[in-house]
Amino acid sequence: METKTLFWLQSGGCSGDSMSILNMDEPDLFTQFKHMGIEVLWHPSLSCLSPMEQDQLIEKILSGEQKLDYFCLEGNVALGPNNSGMFDTYRGEPKKDLIAQLAAKAEYILAIGTCATFGGMGSHANDEMQGVGLQFHHNEKGGFLGKNFRSASDFPIINLSGCPIHPKALELTLNLLIRGLPLELDDLNRPKVYYGISVHNGCTRNVSHEFKLEDTKLGEDGCLFFNIGCKGPTTRASCNKYLWNEQSSKTRAGVPCFGCTRPDFPMPEPFYVTEKIAGTPIELPEGIDRAAYLAYKDMAAAAAPDYLRKAHHEKTQND
Amino acid sequence: MTRVSLNIPLNRVEGDLDIKVVLENNQIVDAKSIGTLYRGFENMLTGRDPMDALVITPRICGICSITHLTAAVKAIESAANITPPAQAVRMRNLSLLAETVQSDLRQVFLMFLSDFAQPYYKDYDFYPKAVELYAPLTGKGAIEVLRKSKDIVKVIAIIGGQWLHTSHMVPGGICTIPSIIDMTLVANHINNVLEWFESEVLGCSIEHFENEVTTADKLNHHVTQFSTTHLANFKQMCEQSGLTEIGRSYPNFISYGVVDDPEKPSQSIIPAGVAIDGCDVEALALDKVGEDLSHSWYQYKEVVQSPFGGTTKPDIDAPNGYTWAKAPRYAGMPMQTGPIAQAIVNQDPLLIDLFNQQGDSAYVRELARLLRPIKHLKHLRQQSTECLNNFGDTTYQQPTELDTGNGIGITEAARGALGHWLEMKHGEITNYQIVTPTAWNASPLDSNAQHGPWEKAILGLKIKDINNPMEMGHVIRSFDPCLVCTVHASGDIDQVEKWQFGVF
C-alpha cells in the first residue's frame, strides 16, 4: 500500500477526539497507522517536530511540495467575536485562516467530532464563540467552507460526528479510503457504514423498550426513552454495535443518550428529561407515524412478559 | 546585548497556549503566558437546568472529562445539601482515579519523554534508548503506555458506559447499575495496569516503593538496582539534560484532595490543603480563592473577584489584557497545582526530601507525576475491593427537586485543583464559574505585578538554541499543560514582529 499522509489540527474544541482515538482497538492507534501505511505529518499531542521543521512542513503543504492526503480538523471554526475569529488564534492570526489554507490542499478532509462537523459546543445562537462546522452549521449545509466546497479528490467534507468521535468511526473511514473502497455518505455527509443505524440498535435495554417498561427515575434498569431524556432512537451512530472502550455504552450502563452525534447537539432542552406531548416523547424514531406508534406501544405494554414486568416493577419499587 | 522577542505557540490538549518571551543574551527576562482560545462555557450554562452541567462541563476538557463531571455533581450536591451513598462514592472514586492514571501515563510517556528522542539530544548517552522507547508513534515504551492507558479507562466504561464524556454521576449517587461481574472486571483491569506499572516503571511492588524509597539517596540506590525501568530512564534523561537545575517557581502549593471518603464524602482520603513558601501545610480555605482579571481579556468592575458572583465577559480590547486565562490567586498569592502540590500537601517523604534539596525543579515536578500512580493505583485497588465487599448497597438515592442554592464542587484533576462554583435559583443556573488547574498554573500577571507560576518558572532561564528553546518546553511541560510544545522562534526581531499580538 502506498503511504498516505495525515495532518491533524485542533481548533475550537476540548481535544477529546484526540483522546478518544487513542483508545482505538485492536491492537492500538499507532500500530493501526503503521498497518494502514499512514504517515502522521503532524498531530498536536503526539508529534515532536523542531520549530523549523514544523514551519517548513506547513509551507511545503501550502506550496504543494508536500502531498497532503488526509486533513483532519478537530474542533469548530470560531468566527467570534463579531466574525473576527479572534476567539481562536494561531500565532496571533485567526485560526480559521490556516484552516482554509490547509483545506485547499488536502485530498480528503475529515471533520473529526461534532464541533468540527456541525459546530457543537459554542455554536448556538447566543454562544459567544460563533462556532461553525467545516461544511455544516447544525443541519444546514454551508458552514465555514461553503456547501459547494470539494476537496482535491472531489469529495465533500467527510463528517465524523460524535462528542467525542467513536474511534471505530475514524478507523472504518480510513480503512475504506486507503483501500479505495466506496465510502457512502448519508444526507449529513457521514459514512453510512458507521452512521447508518441508530444508537438504539443493539442497546441491551431494548427488551424493556419493546414492552414499554419505561424508567421513571434515574438508576433503574429499564428503557430511558420515554422519561429520562434518552435520544438513542433518534440519534444515528453505532455506539451499541461497536462498544465504547470495547466494554459498554452509555445507554447500556444507564446513562441516557444525549444525541451527541446529532447536528443540534448540545440541545437547549434539559438533558435528563424527555420532552413530551400527551404523555409521549415529542421526538419519535425517524419516519414513524405517531398514531401507529402509540397503538403499538399500548399493545406492547399489555403483552409484556411477566418475568420482565415483575423484575422492572420490583426494581422501581425497591429504590 | 542581543534582545529578542519570541512568541512560542504551544500546541494544546487542554487550552491553546502561546508563551511570549523576551530574551537578553539568550536569557529570558520577561514572559507572558497567553491562552489563545475562548469558548465561553460559563455563559453557555446560565439559564440551563443544573443537571445539564453534568453534560456540558465535561466537554470543557477531553482529558479530564470525568473530573469536571465530579466537580459539577459535587457543586450541585453542595448547593442542594445532598449526600451520596457510600457505594456511589466508591464508584465515583474509581472513575476519577482511573482517568487520572490515564492522564499521568500519557503525559509522562507520550508528551514529556518524547522530547528526549529528538535529534537535539543526539550526542547524549541516552539518545538511542530514548528513540527506541519514547519516539513519537513508534517508541516501544510509547506503544506499551498507549495500550495500558486505554486499559485503565475501561474501568470508567464499565461503570459509566464510556470514556470519555459520560455523565453517570448524578446528584444522589450514580445512575448506572454495574453488576457484580462488571465489578470483578474492573478489579481485573486495575490489576493488569498495576502489575505492569510495578514491573516496568518501578521495578518493585508499590508497597515496597512507598515504604522503602523515601529519600533522594534511596531513590538513587533504587534506580541503580533497577536500572532498566522507565523510572531509571526518566531519571537519567532528566539529570543528564539538566532538568534538576531549572524550572523553579513559587514554592506555593494548592491541592483540593482526592479519593472522597465514602462514609464522609465532603472529606478526602488524600487530603486537601495549601503549603505556602515551603512544605508546611495548612488547611484549605476556599473563601481565599479569588480571580484577578487585571491582565486578562475580560471586563470587570472589581479587579479581584470571588468565583461566587464572578463574571466572564470577554473583551479583546481590555486594557493590559494578554490572555483568555484569568489569574486565580489564594489570599492574593500565585499557587502551583498538580502532582507536586498533591505530594507536598500529602507530606510524601521522597518528594519532600527532593524538594528540600533542589526545590521544585522541572525534574521534581515531573517525577511527582510519574510516581503518582503509586498512590492512585493503590486506592483504585482498595476502592474496587470495597465495592465488591459492599456489593448490593444502594448507589442512588433520588434527591428532591433541585431548586435554589449556592454550591462549590472541588476535586483534584490530573493537572491539579479544579473548582466549580454554582449558583442556582428556582431550578435554573444563574451563575457558573469554573476555576481550572491550568488557570492556576498558566495564569498571567496580577494587579500586584506577580507573574503566574509557569511564567515565573521560565524567568531567568537560559536558552541554548533560540531556534529550538527546548529547555523552556521541558519546564512548561513539567506543569502538564497537556500539550506538546511547538516552538516558533527566530533570531531576527523583525521577523518575529508578525507573530506579536495584543499589548506587549
Side-chain angles (χ1 to χ4, degrees):
Chain A
M1 246 180 313
E2 187 199 345
T3 300
K4 301 283 185 184
T5 57
L6 183 148
F7 188 102
W8 187 291
L9 190 69
Q10 291 174 333
S11 51
C14 71
S15 307
D17 301 309
S18 286
M19 287 300 113
S20 187
I21 64 157
L22 287 177
N23 298 328
M24 195 182 280
D25 217 56
E26 199 15 85
D28 60 77
L29 177 72
F30 298 168
T31 310
Q32 292 233 29
F33 276 156
K34 193 169 101 186
H35 292 168
M36 289 190 231
I38 288 180
E39 181 194 351
V40 179
L41 297 174
W42 174 252
H43 183 292
S45 32
L46 302 173
S47 301
C48 285
L49 292 184
S50 79
M52 214 173 292
E53 284 168 333
Q54 199 208 337
D55 262 9
Q56 284 167 353
L57 171 65
I58 292 180
E59 277 163 27
K60 279 183 184 169
I61 292 171
L62 298 185
S63 72
E65 192 186 328
Q66 168 67 56
K67 193 161 152 297
L68 175 58
D69 292 300
Y70 307 123
F71 171 41
C72 298
L73 182 75
E74 168 182 7
N76 63 24
V77 185
L79 302 180
N82 304 319
N83 296 312
S84 67
M86 294 307 279
F87 276 151
D88 185 16
T89 57
Y90 179 77
R91 300 186 174 178
E93 302 292 326
K95 197 176 271 171
K96 65 186 172 75
D97 297 352
L98 178 66
I99 294 169
Q101 288 172 329
L102 287 167
K105 296 294 173 188
E107 292 292 319
Y108 294 95
I109 301 169
L110 283 68
I112 306 288
T114 297
C115 290
T117 300
F118 302 123
M121 308 303 294
S123 68
H124 286 275
N126 295 324
D127 291 341
E128 294 153 320
M129 73 186 298
Q130 294 176 258
V132 294
L134 274 173
Q135 202 164 24
F136 275 84
H137 182 224
H138 301 162
N139 59 0
E140 207 172 298
K141 254 190 192 155
F144 176 59
L145 293 170
K147 62 179 178 184
N148 297 320
F149 181 92
R150 313 285 281 189
S151 62
S153 289
D154 197 26
F155 235 76
I157 308 306
I158 299 166
N159 286 333
L160 303 175
S161 62
C163 188
I165 185 176
H166 192 297
K168 207 49 118 187
L170 179 67
E171 186 187 338
L172 291 166
T173 304
L174 286 176
N175 264 302
L176 292 177
L177 288 176
I178 275 165
R179 291 163 200 272
L181 295 168
L183 182 71
E184 223 186 314
L185 304 180
D186 69 5
D187 54 332
L188 297 169
N189 288 346
R190 301 179 299 188
K192 282 187 182 172
V193 65
Y194 183 81
Y195 299 93
I197 60 171
S198 82
V199 171
H200 179 65
N201 289 37
C203 178
T204 50
R205 293 173 179 236
N206 274 356
V207 67
S208 304
H209 182 80
E210 197 179 337
F211 294 108
K212 207 186 171 193
L213 293 165
E214 297 291 336
D215 285 356
T216 52
K217 63 180 176 67
L218 292 164
E220 298 179 347
D221 61 357
C223 176
L224 306 160
F225 176 58
F226 264 62
N227 303 308
I228 314 294
C230 184
K231 294 183 173 65
T234 62
T235 302
R236 278 182 268 158
S238 293
C239 296
N240 278 307
K241 180 176 179 187
Y242 304 108
L243 297 180
W244 284 87
N245 316 87
E246 297 71 53
Q247 304 301 313
S248 191
S249 70
K250 289 209 298 298
T251 61
R252 285 184 176 202
V255 182
C257 165
F258 302 119
C260 77
T261 60
R262 279 172 43 166
D264 51 345
F265 182 80
M267 303 76 181
E269 296 80 22
F271 281 113
Y272 289 86
V273 183
T274 305
E275 302 278 305
K276 282 189 273 198
I277 181 161
T280 24
I282 291 178
E283 283 193 351
L284 294 179
E286 282 180 65
I288 266 186
D289 176 86
R290 179 170 289 270
Y293 184 77
L294 295 184
Y296 142 69
K297 275 289 154 193
D298 287 344
M299 284 164 64
D306 271 355
Y307 79 94
L308 261 184
R309 205 197 311 252
K310 197 161 165 266
H312 189 252
H313 182 71
E314 275 172 7
K315 178 76 191 158
T316 51
Q317 291 303 302
N318 288 346
D319 290 340
Chain B
M1 186 180 75
T2 333
R3 190 179 165 91
V4 182
S5 166
L6 308 174
N7 186 12
I8 301 164
L10 296 162
N11 273 304
R12 67 178 183 85
V13 169
E14 185 203 37
D16 275 346
L17 189 75
D18 280 12
I19 303 281
K20 186 170 284 191
V21 294
V22 177
L23 292 167
E24 281 179 10
N25 296 330
N26 282 25
Q27 186 168 28
I28 296 177
V29 295
D30 194 13
K32 285 180 164 53
S33 160
I34 307 169
T36 65
L37 175 65
Y38 175 75
R39 294 171 75 208
F41 267 79
E42 282 100 337
N43 298 333
M44 281 178 214
L45 287 157
T46 306
R48 293 198 71 126
D49 187 317
M51 292 286 284
D52 290 347
L54 308 174
V55 182
I56 303 275
T57 64
R59 278 145 173 112
I60 292 168
C61 174
I63 300 187
C64 49
S65 157
I66 290 287
T67 324
H68 280 284
L69 176 62
T70 306
V73 78
K74 288 169 79 171
I76 297 172
E77 287 176 343
S78 123
N81 290 315
I82 298 164
T83 305
Q87 185 75 337
V89 175
R90 293 183 195 107
M91 303 261 189
R92 289 181 186 181
N93 285 337
L94 287 169
S95 307
L96 182 62
L97 290 168
E99 180 175 84
T100 306
V101 170
Q102 166 270 148
S103 180
D104 286 347
L105 292 178
R106 287 181 180 174
Q107 202 276 340
V108 172
F109 288 85
L110 305 183
M111 298 170 195
F112 192 90
L113 280 169
S114 52
D115 265 342
F116 295 117
Q118 290 200 55
Y120 181 92
Y121 286 114
K122 66 181 186 320
D123 297 330
Y124 285 68
D125 288 351
F126 61 69
Y127 182 69
K129 187 160 61 184
V131 171
E132 186 198 344
L133 293 174
Y134 309 124
L137 293 123
T138 55
K140 283 182 199 160
I143 292 174
E144 205 180 284
V145 162
L146 179 59
R147 292 180 181 175
K148 294 302 163 189
S149 67
K150 69 193 178 97
D151 203 18
I152 198 70
V153 296
K154 291 182 198 292
V155 168
I156 307 164
I158 292 168
I159 296 173
Q162 67 181 65
W163 188 81
L164 50 128
H165 289 348
T166 186
S167 305
H168 63 303
M169 301 182 192
V170 292
I174 59 167
C175 62
T176 56
I177 42 172
S179 69
I180 196 152
I181 298 174
D182 290 336
M183 295 316 295
T184 59
L185 294 177
V186 161
N188 291 349
H189 287 295
I190 293 167
N191 285 334
N192 282 343
V193 176
L194 180 60
E195 191 180 81
W196 166 81
F197 191 83
E198 289 179 331
S199 75
E200 304 302 315
V201 179
L202 297 180
C204 67
S205 74
I206 55 174
E207 288 78 12
H208 177 85
F209 196 91
E210 256 194 325
N211 296 334
E212 302 300 325
V213 189
T214 49
T215 65
D217 281 348
K218 288 176 177 171
L219 179 65
N220 291 338
H221 178 71
H222 178 85
V223 296
T224 322
Q225 201 182 346
F226 302 100
S227 59
T228 58
T229 56
H230 292 302
L231 172 61
N233 296 340
F234 169 86
K235 188 165 180 287
Q236 180 201 14
M237 291 171 192
C238 289
E239 284 174 347
Q240 287 186 10
S241 59
L243 300 198
T244 50
E245 306 301 322
I246 60 175
R248 291 177 193 90
S249 183
Y250 304 98
N252 301 341
F253 304 99
I254 185 165
S255 176
Y256 284 170
V258 70
V259 194
D260 290 343
D261 185 341
E263 303 303 332
K264 202 176 179 203
S266 58
Q267 289 182 3
S268 55
I269 296 171
I270 297 178
V274 293
I276 290 161
D277 200 19
C279 297
D280 293 334
V281 180
E282 51 185 88
L284 172 73
L286 284 175
D287 56 358
K288 293 183 179 170
V289 174
E291 291 188 292
D292 189 304
L293 301 183
S294 61
H295 291 78
S296 308
W297 283 315
Y298 297 102
Q299 290 174 16
Y300 57 85
K301 284 198 180 122
E302 283 170 38
V303 68
V304 181
Q305 297 184 340
S306 157
F308 274 139
T311 57
T312 303
K313 290 183 183 158
D315 177 10
I316 197 135
D317 298 318
N320 302 320
Y322 65 85
T323 176
W324 292 116
K326 298 174 181 176
R329 296 290 184 262
Y330 186 82
M333 283 173 290
M335 310 289 284
Q336 289 191 57
T337 193
I340 188 173
Q342 188 177 320
I344 284 172
V345 167
N346 195 27
Q347 296 287 296
D348 181 287
L350 171 61
L351 266 304
I352 287 189
D353 191 43
L354 281 160
F355 175 79
N356 288 335
Q357 289 189 17
Q358 54 174 272
D360 52 317
S361 66
Y363 162 68
V364 172
R365 195 178 292 113
E366 188 67 18
L367 180 69
R369 183 167 301 107
L370 174 71
L371 297 179
R372 184 163 62 176
I374 294 174
K375 296 270 186 306
H376 284 182
L377 286 164
K378 186 179 81 175
H379 284 290
L380 274 163
R381 189 168 56 187
Q382 199 171 329
Q383 295 285 306
S384 100
T385 306
E386 283 182 29
C387 271
L388 283 166
N389 291 344
N390 293 285
F391 192 83
D393 285 6
T394 185
T395 50
Y396 179 67
Q397 277 161 357
Q398 188 176 26
T400 53
E401 216 154 286
L402 302 173
D403 194 327
T404 301
N406 293 350
I408 306 176
I410 58 167
T411 189
E412 190 77 354
R415 261 140 246 108
L418 170 69
H420 286 196
W421 276 256
L422 159 75
E423 298 166 55
M424 60 181 191
K425 204 171 179 183
H426 306 314
E428 210 174 80
I429 296 171
T430 52
N431 196 11
Y432 206 104
Q433 297 294 321
I434 300 153
V435 184
T436 63
T438 301
W440 285 99
N441 287 330
S443 61
L445 280 164
D446 61 29
S447 44
N448 294 319
Q450 300 176 100
H451 280 281
W454 76 44
E455 289 179 345
K456 171 79 173 172
I458 57 171
L459 282 172
L461 187 65
K462 282 203 165 148
I463 305 293
K464 255 183 243 143
D465 174 7
I466 61 168
N467 287 307
N468 195 2
M470 184 67 81
E471 303 88 339
M472 200 193 83
H474 287 312
V475 171
I476 300 291
R477 271 194 300 274
S478 72
F479 285 90
D480 185 9
C482 246
L483 44 82
V484 180
C485 269
T486 47
V487 183
H488 180 85
S490 164
D492 181 345
I493 196 159
D494 292 331
Q495 275 188 19
V496 297
E497 284 299 323
K498 64 178 171 179
W499 308 128
Q500 296 209 354
F501 175 57
V503 183
F504 188 56

